[in-house]
Amino acid sequence: MGEVRFGQAINLALDESLKNDPSVVVFGEDIARPGGPFGVTRGLLEKYGELRVRDTPISEATIVSAAVGAAMSGLKPVVEIMFMDFITIAMDGLVNQAAKARFMFGGQCSVPMVLRTPHGGGVNAGPQHSQCLEAWFAHVPGLKVVIPSNSGDAYGLLKAAIADPDPVIFVENKALYAVKGQMDDDAPALEIGKAHIARPGADVTVVSYGAAVNTALRAADTLAQSGIELEVIDLRSIQPWDEATVLASLSRTHRLIVLHEAVTAFGVGAEIAARMADVGFDELDAPIVRVGAPFMPVPFAASLEPQYLPDADDLIAAVHKVLA
Amino acid sequence: MTSNSRERLLGLFERMLLVRECELKLAELFSDGEVPGFIHLSVGQEAVAIGVMDALNDSDTIASNHRGHGHAIAKGVDLDSFFLEVMGKEEGICGGRGGSMHVADMSVGMLGANGIVGAGIPLAVGSALAHQVQQNNNIAVAFFGDGALAEGVLHESFNIASLWKLPILFVCENNGWSEFSPTSLQFVAEVRDLGKAFKIPFRQVDGNNITAVADASDEIVSDMRKNGGPRVLECMTKRVHGHYEGDQQKYRDADELASLGDYDPIMLCEGELRKMKAADKDITAIRNRIENRVSAAADVGRAGTLPSFDRLLSDVYTPVQEA
Amino acid sequence: MPQISDLVMPKLGLTMTEGTISEWVVSPGDSFSSGDLVLVVETDKIANEIEAPADGTLHDVIVQVGETVPVGTVLARWDVGTAGTPEPVPVATPPSGPVAVNSGATSDVLDAKPASAISVDGARVIATPLARRIAGLEGVDLHKVSGTGPKGRIKAEDVRKAKQAAPVATERAIPIEHATSGTRLTPTTYQASVAKRLTEAKRDTPHFYLSTEADVGALLDIRKQLNAANADLRVSINHLILAAVGRTLADMPAANRIWSNGEIVQYETADVGIAVTTDAGLFAPVVRDIGASGLGHVATSAREIVSRARDGSLRPEDMQGGATTVSNAGMYDVTYMGSIISPGQSSILGVGSIRKTFRPDDNGLPVLCQEMGLVLSCDHRIFDGVGGLAFLNALKDYLETPFRLLA
């Protein structure tokens, strides 16, 4: 298949899932006739009809809760929340219903639904269209949170998410939609909860996910010129996350940085740092450092947003800190 | 008055009585400290659960609310499992994980009571969507009180159900109270007008009259199976107990409380049965049967084992072998 | 929001391991600006004025005046910046390294990282978890490891280096008879410091000694002629010896090396220390780059630094570097003087008094000669016996054919 854009890879995974499993349905705001705000669901309505591919009204709470009810009644809904910021309106469906149904009903049912949603800044979308809120969902027992960094992973992970019996929040960084990446013709579904070593290196482990993995890889290229080798781990999913792979890497490099676009405070990096400080304590030869966004809403102005977003330079500074 | 209709009413009477006896038994167990947490009883509203459910098949689905014992029992949840659950026992229908507000039984299409007001409504919308996609001619029912009328998801759900012509019956059990406040002080619209606004056929019945509820439900559900689309059924009823057990209801007028007996659906039904010349011994036999059944279920509940913490983590996510 | 940061005992030289607080110029609660004098730290060598690395307010003082603590020890805490100034960059950390020193210094001082965060009384060792684990496995005592990480933190690499450098033999405790009579005097900071440094130097540096005599008749003549020709020159015998050592070092780079933390450091310039006795004690300031200098320059530089040693105005960098020192006891009556190598150097030349003696000439007839006893103490990690002899003999050649020093 060769080079495929991130958005196209998601479209392909949806297409194949609709084709292979009649219980899969896709719905969300403007995803059917208009093909989605980023064109990700283009063509699915024409192929699979309006019974299974539907535009919804602008009713996020009901979109998500209806997906839960449908999943409890035999469907595998894949719903879209147009921007992750809008998920605030749909929290009950996710947190009180989807996440808890299996547990509080004593294992009688699973909730095989996927919620796709774009996060991230970089397009001057402002404070209510740019947030990375994934840590909220990773904090809720019962939800899974998957965040791909490239086309091939997006395809493999979305197929896995749709096949998964539990509710999965599938987060797509909107800055990635147009990015091309390699994708094999017969790419298999990937295992949720298994990290990928995106670049091996001996000196410092950098754990990341989503678009920030690419930031880490750029920093790694720069640092390699001065003889510093980063090991970049792409978590692929943050709930569950691959503790074993991170610990094994830390045991090789003895230095750990967690990089994400989300606000640093109380974020995914905090959990990883705390866990590794516990299980990996005797491997540490430097403090664990987090690199993320400052504690503020995402600013809009073209001159401000780049300063807000963590970049390769921020990571390089952190690398020098842990190597001091 | 055919003997058929008398037999039917005797059946409805017996099922209402089952719900009533369960609720009263739970009130007793609760005050004895044998039910943990808190419970919301549907005493006085039995005709709605029994009347609507009389029109449903096992494969139809319902989403209930915090006052959901009647819905669960009416939909066919096993009585022993129900008591075990509400009493927090390992053998409960949900393994003691949910309790009163989360009784569910997927095998009879009971998608769960709910601790969040209004939250069951969009779940039922999703279930109706599944029926529509699967084209199985089943319907979904959302039970909610008038307190949920002010929740946003109700309005979204009415809209989507109408837009997509979903097979969903919205049942509003209007008991006039939104928790501790009169709904008249909380909500300005009429359910009738909401139905009209969202272009959903609406019907209002006396929710304490079991025959009225059952007949209306039969007609509505048959019509839905034939013609598709959503319906709204408003059942005017009375809440006899407090919002939850232990609520002294000091916010309610004494005269109102004193008059509640006049609306008791079971008493009204019994009067109807006597008018239909039902035999005293038949009614007494029903009373005895139900009392014994409920008493036995409560004993099973008491004898249940306390749940073990060990297995809990394995049910947060679907275990791999089941996946 | 102000950020609280640590102020640590700075490392003010390659060999500094501890320092004494002699004055807190700023009190808790006082604000200061970058560059303001904050405290004075006394080392065995010199008093150092320590400047604030940035604007801030002194929060609390942990180490009081008169206390001696290892390099890297937290001396005080201070609020960095002023209220309402947030950290602009998320990964930025407040300054936490050693404070700046008030004068221009060698790169060693500017880059100084606190060497160790342990105190002699067995207080907390600051080490990474991995360093602790390795130390445990390898049997390395972290109290004896110098940390090169931030705030003197011991890292895994430091433990590995210490392990390589450490002698295999285990120390055996030797019972010491403690004096039971006599009056007990508390040593001054300076005395305690000298005692500690020299004990360490003698214990940790494997010394060996080579001695010979140099015939300095020609050297005395040439000195007389030089000073007669130019009264301002005032060349001393010691200046000539310094020049000879400088030339020898320039000729023999292998002698211009020191052993440092398991590594060999090759110096590029011929810097030579001069042992100077003053009222405040013994100092060894260094005369710079005299491998090819004229005698006039050597004399001027030496005079200048000795006078600063005597009037107490030596700067920390005056003590830095140099692989060797000249310790001249010629003004007293001594034939041979075997000296302890200064910490951080690899040799020291002990110079005795000039004595007249008869030596047989080529025909066996007695000739009156003027001779000076030389003892070269060598660090065996840098010199082997042959290397030490080569150095001493080359030096002797310069002293006996002093016209070469004029070239």
Side-chain angles (χ1 to χ4, degrees):
Chain A
M1 188 154 294
E3 294 263 289
V4 171
R5 288 186 200 280
F6 188 77
Q8 258 177 296
I10 293 164
N11 183 280
L12 277 166
L14 290 170
D15 192 337
E16 286 177 25
S17 299
L18 281 161
K19 185 169 68 192
N20 297 332
D21 186 345
S23 66
V24 173
V25 296
V26 177
F27 57 96
E29 295 160 10
D30 297 322
I31 62 100
R33 219 166 296 279
F38 299 98
V40 172
T41 46
R42 202 172 285 153
L44 299 178
L45 171 65
E46 291 74 8
K47 266 184 152 167
Y48 300 101
E50 55 192 14
L51 199 61
R52 296 176 66 201
V53 180
R54 300 185 185 209
D55 284 320
T56 65
I58 303 170
S59 303
E60 287 83 5
T62 296
I63 292 169
V64 172
S65 283
V68 181
M72 288 168 66
S73 304
L75 296 186
K76 290 181 184 160
V78 183
V79 296
E80 177 175 311
I81 293 295
M82 194 183 273
F83 286 83
M84 191 173 211
D85 314 68
F86 309 165
I87 216 164
T88 51
I89 302 171
M91 288 303 258
D92 180 65
L94 287 171
V95 176
N96 288 324
Q97 314 300 332
K100 293 175 177 51
R102 178 177 177 83
F103 182 87
M104 73 182 169
F105 299 154
Q108 287 185 62
C109 66
S110 297
V111 182
M113 63 172 281
V114 175
L115 184 148
R116 292 180 39 248
T117 191
H119 77 169
V123 293
N124 304 115
Q128 294 175 340
H129 287 72
S130 306
Q131 297 170 84
C132 295
L133 301 175
E134 57 273 11
W136 291 0
F137 301 99
H139 188 63
V140 176
L143 298 178
K144 294 184 178 179
V145 185
V146 174
I147 312 181
S149 68
N150 61 67
S151 301
D153 285 7
Y155 173 84
L157 289 169
L158 183 53
K159 289 194 84 170
I162 294 171
D164 197 281
D166 294 314
V168 178
I169 316 286
F170 190 86
V171 185
E172 304 158 8
N173 192 299
K174 60 179 81 76
L176 290 178
Y177 281 129
V179 176
K180 284 185 175 175
Q182 194 62 35
M183 214 182 89
D184 297 335
D185 266 341
D186 48 357
L190 295 168
E191 188 184 338
I192 293 175
K194 193 91 194 74
H196 168 64
I197 296 182
R199 177 185 176 121
D203 296 325
V204 178
T205 297
V206 177
V207 174
S208 194
Y209 58 84
V213 170
N214 304 305
T215 306
L217 291 172
R218 277 196 302 279
D221 282 342
T222 305
L223 286 165
Q225 289 164 19
S226 47
I228 298 169
E229 292 297 337
L230 299 189
E231 178 144 299
V232 179
I233 296 182
D234 182 350
L235 284 181
R236 286 179 167 164
S237 73
I238 60 168
Q239 184 58 269
W241 65 280
D242 191 347
E243 270 189 37
T245 294
V246 174
L247 181 60
S249 176
L250 173 62
S251 303
R252 291 189 292 271
T253 65
H254 308 293
R255 293 176 182 85
L256 177 64
I257 295 172
V258 189
L259 166 73
H260 51 57
E261 185 179 324
V263 164
T264 306
F266 296 88
V268 172
E271 171 64 17
I272 293 171
R275 220 22 224 155
M276 287 301 119
D278 179 353
V279 297
F281 184 74
D282 289 321
E283 298 297 343
L284 290 169
D285 203 22
I288 303 171
V289 173
R290 293 170 294 160
V291 180
F295 198 56
M296 62 171 74
V298 185
F300 152 70
S303 61
L304 295 177
E305 198 184 25
Q307 295 183 63
Y308 167 88
L309 292 170
D311 60 16
D313 288 342
D314 296 329
L315 177 58
I316 288 169
V319 168
H320 288 307
K321 184 178 172 186
V322 300
L323 284 171
Chain B
M1 300 270 169
T2 64
S3 74
N4 266 357
S5 61
R6 191 174 62 208
E7 289 310 308
R8 178 184 178 228
L9 193 59
L10 273 171
L12 292 169
F13 174 75
E14 176 162 0
R15 276 176 275 153
M16 281 201 294
L17 198 62
L18 177 64
V19 173
R20 169 69 54 88
E21 286 300 317
C22 286
E23 297 287 50
L24 294 178
K25 178 60 77 179
L26 285 172
E28 183 188 318
L29 292 169
F30 180 84
S31 66
D32 290 348
E34 294 193 71
V35 173
F38 49 100
I39 52 176
H40 308 79
L41 300 185
S42 66
V43 174
Q45 303 182 192
E46 295 88 347
V48 179
I50 297 301
V52 171
M53 238 62 82
D54 191 51
L56 301 185
N57 302 326
D58 277 356
S59 51
D60 293 323
T61 48
I62 68 164
S64 169
N65 60 2
H66 58 285
R67 204 173 305 286
H69 297 164
H71 308 138
I73 294 164
K75 193 71 174 73
V77 175
D78 173 72
L79 209 62
D80 292 344
S81 306
F82 171 81
F83 269 88
L84 285 159
E85 181 59 31
V86 178
M87 296 173 81
K89 300 299 169 66
E90 175 81 42
E91 301 84 354
I93 185 75
C94 302
R97 314 269 180 75
S100 163
M101 268 188 288
H102 306 288
V103 173
D105 186 348
M106 300 301 146
S107 69
V108 297
M110 166 54 174
L111 302 183
N114 215 302
I116 310 294
V117 171
I121 302 168
L123 294 179
V125 167
S127 191
L129 171 68
H131 298 322
Q132 185 183 67
V133 170
Q134 293 162 343
Q135 296 172 318
N136 56 19
N137 210 30
N138 293 328
I139 69 161
V141 181
F143 286 96
F144 53 92
D146 42 319
L149 293 171
E151 288 280 8
V153 283
L154 175 121
H155 304 266
E156 294 183 11
S157 291
F158 273 32
N159 181 49
I160 289 180
S162 184
L163 194 69
W164 290 352
K165 300 185 170 40
L166 294 176
I168 179 169
L169 173 60
F170 296 103
V171 176
C172 177
E173 293 182 75
N174 191 338
N175 62 23
W177 287 93
S178 298
E179 300 186 357
F180 311 103
S181 300
T183 302
S184 58
L185 298 182
Q186 303 220 331
F187 192 72
V188 296
E190 299 293 333
V191 183
R192 178 190 309 278
D193 296 333
L194 289 180
K196 192 174 170 192
F198 288 105
K199 300 187 168 63
I200 304 176
F202 168 84
R203 196 155 156 187
Q204 188 188 64
V205 295
D206 176 356
N208 291 350
N209 181 335
I210 182 64
T211 307
V213 177
D215 288 351
S217 299
D218 265 351
E219 287 166 32
I220 290 168
V221 170
S222 315
D223 182 38
M224 287 173 74
R225 293 206 208 277
K226 204 159 94 191
N227 298 313
R231 304 287 189 279
V232 178
L233 174 65
E234 184 180 26
C235 302
M236 308 308 288
T237 183
K238 300 284 181 188
R239 192 184 85 195
V240 175
H241 282 221
H243 171 53
Y244 47 63
E245 280 309 277
D247 170 12
Q248 302 293 311
Q249 304 204 79
K250 292 194 171 145
Y251 48 86
R252 287 178 85 168
D253 187 72
D255 292 344
E256 189 210 349
L257 288 170
S259 71
L260 287 172
D262 300 343
Y263 301 95
D264 184 340
I266 291 170
M267 191 209 72
L268 292 171
C269 182
E270 191 176 335
E272 199 61 30
L273 281 167
R274 289 186 194 286
K275 274 193 228 163
M276 295 167 93
K277 308 269 189 283
D280 273 357
K281 68 170 173 48
D282 289 346
I283 292 174
T284 307
I286 288 172
R287 286 200 181 280
N288 289 339
R289 195 156 65 230
I290 293 299
E291 201 174 309
N292 290 338
R293 179 69 192 93
V294 170
S295 189
D299 287 343
V300 170
R302 283 195 191 93
T305 50
L306 295 174
S308 144
F309 199 80
D310 300 342
R311 239 169 31 85
L312 286 190
L313 272 177
S314 64
D315 268 337
V316 178
Y317 295 95
T318 307
V320 176
Q321 63 271 20
E322 274 185 48
Chain C
M1 249 186 355
Q3 298 215 17
I4 292 193
S5 191
D6 294 337
L7 195 67
V8 301
M9 175 61 78
K11 180 163 167 128
L12 300 168
L14 193 63
T15 59
M16 173 175 169
T17 57
E18 60 182 30
T20 305
I21 306 290
S22 57
E23 184 184 358
W24 278 105
V25 179
V26 175
S27 302
D30 288 354
S31 292
F32 48 78
S33 301
S34 176
D36 286 356
L37 180 58
V38 177
L39 76 159
V40 181
V41 169
E42 208 174 293
T43 64
D44 51 330
K45 291 176 174 174
I46 197 163
N48 302 272
E49 295 182 340
I50 308 299
E51 292 175 358
D55 296 352
T57 304
L58 194 66
H59 198 270
D60 60 325
V61 167
I62 295 165
V63 177
Q64 304 299 332
V65 169
E67 290 184 48
T68 302
V69 293
V71 165
T73 302
V74 177
L75 304 176
R77 283 187 285 261
W78 61 297
D79 293 329
V80 183
T82 48
T85 314
E87 278 295 295
V89 187
V91 295
T93 51
S96 57
V99 292
V101 178
N102 70 341
S103 48
T106 63
S107 62
D108 173 34
V109 172
L110 279 178
D111 296 339
K113 289 173 181 168
S116 167
I118 47 166
S119 79
V120 277
D121 59 2
R124 206 165 88 80
V125 173
I126 297 178
T128 67
L130 182 63
R132 286 177 189 279
R133 184 158 64 104
I134 293 171
L137 290 172
E138 304 277 336
V140 174
D141 180 359
L142 283 177
H143 288 269
K144 293 179 179 156
V145 178
S146 289
T148 61
K151 299 186 192 177
R153 184 188 300 138
I154 299 168
K155 304 193 292 182
E157 186 191 5
D158 300 325
V159 179
R160 292 194 191 100
K161 281 188 175 166
K163 169 76 178 170
Q164 280 170 9
V168 183
T170 53
E171 287 180 27
R172 206 145 39 98
I174 297 166
I176 295 167
E177 296 218 3
H178 291 282
T180 52
S181 59
T183 309
R184 283 168 195 271
L185 303 174
T186 305
T188 63
T189 302
Y190 173 78
Q191 286 171 322
S193 174
V194 168
K196 181 166 180 293
R197 276 167 49 78
L198 293 181
T199 303
E200 283 173 3
K202 187 74 175 167
R203 182 188 65 212
D204 296 340
T205 308
H207 285 65
F208 71 93
Y209 308 90
L210 301 168
S211 60
T212 188
E213 299 89 20
D215 181 342
V216 293
L219 194 76
L220 294 171
D221 285 347
I222 213 162
R223 172 182 176 242
K224 196 180 285 177
Q225 289 167 33
L226 284 167
N227 287 338
N230 183 352
D232 293 338
L233 211 51
R234 291 186 288 133
V235 174
S236 69
I237 292 295
N238 211 37
H239 297 156
L240 291 163
I241 297 170
L242 279 173
V245 172
R247 300 270 171 142
T248 312
L249 284 176
D251 294 344
M252 302 180 61
N256 199 16
R257 293 175 179 169
I258 64 159
W259 186 267
S260 174
N261 283 331
E263 291 174 327
I264 292 169
V265 178
Q266 171 75 58
Y267 285 132
E268 301 305 325
T269 57
D271 303 338
V272 182
I274 317 172
V276 184
T277 304
T278 73
D279 295 341
L282 188 68
F283 293 92
V286 176
V287 189
R288 301 286 163 196
D289 200 7
I290 54 170
S293 299
L295 279 170
H297 174 74
V298 173
T300 311
S301 304
R303 249 195 317 274
E304 197 257 336
I305 209 157
V306 168
S307 86
R308 280 202 281 116
R310 297 226 158 95
D311 67 21
S313 64
L314 281 177
R315 299 171 305 220
E317 69 269 25
D318 291 334
M319 321 279 209
Q320 296 300 317
T324 191
T325 288
V326 172
S327 180
N328 189 347
M331 61 291 279
Y332 305 102
D333 184 8
V334 61
T335 309
Y336 296 108
M337 179 172 70
S339 310
I340 297 175
I341 301 168
S342 294
Q345 296 193 335
S346 62
S347 64
I348 186 166
L349 182 70
V351 181
S353 315
I354 296 169
R355 299 182 185 285
K356 290 181 178 165
T357 186
F358 285 107
R359 293 292 185 197
D361 66 7
D362 292 346
N363 302 316
L365 298 173
V367 178
L368 185 64
C369 294
Q370 301 201 73
E371 286 184 356
M372 187 163 72
L374 302 175
V375 179
L376 184 69
S377 308
C378 299
D379 180 345
H380 216 320
R381 295 171 301 187
I382 294 296
F383 293 95
D384 54 18
V386 173
L389 287 168
F391 181 50
L392 184 60
N393 290 339
L395 172 64
K396 177 178 166 172
D397 272 356
Y398 270 114
L399 295 174
E400 294 186 340
T401 53
F403 64 88
R404 292 169 59 214
L405 297 174
L406 304 176

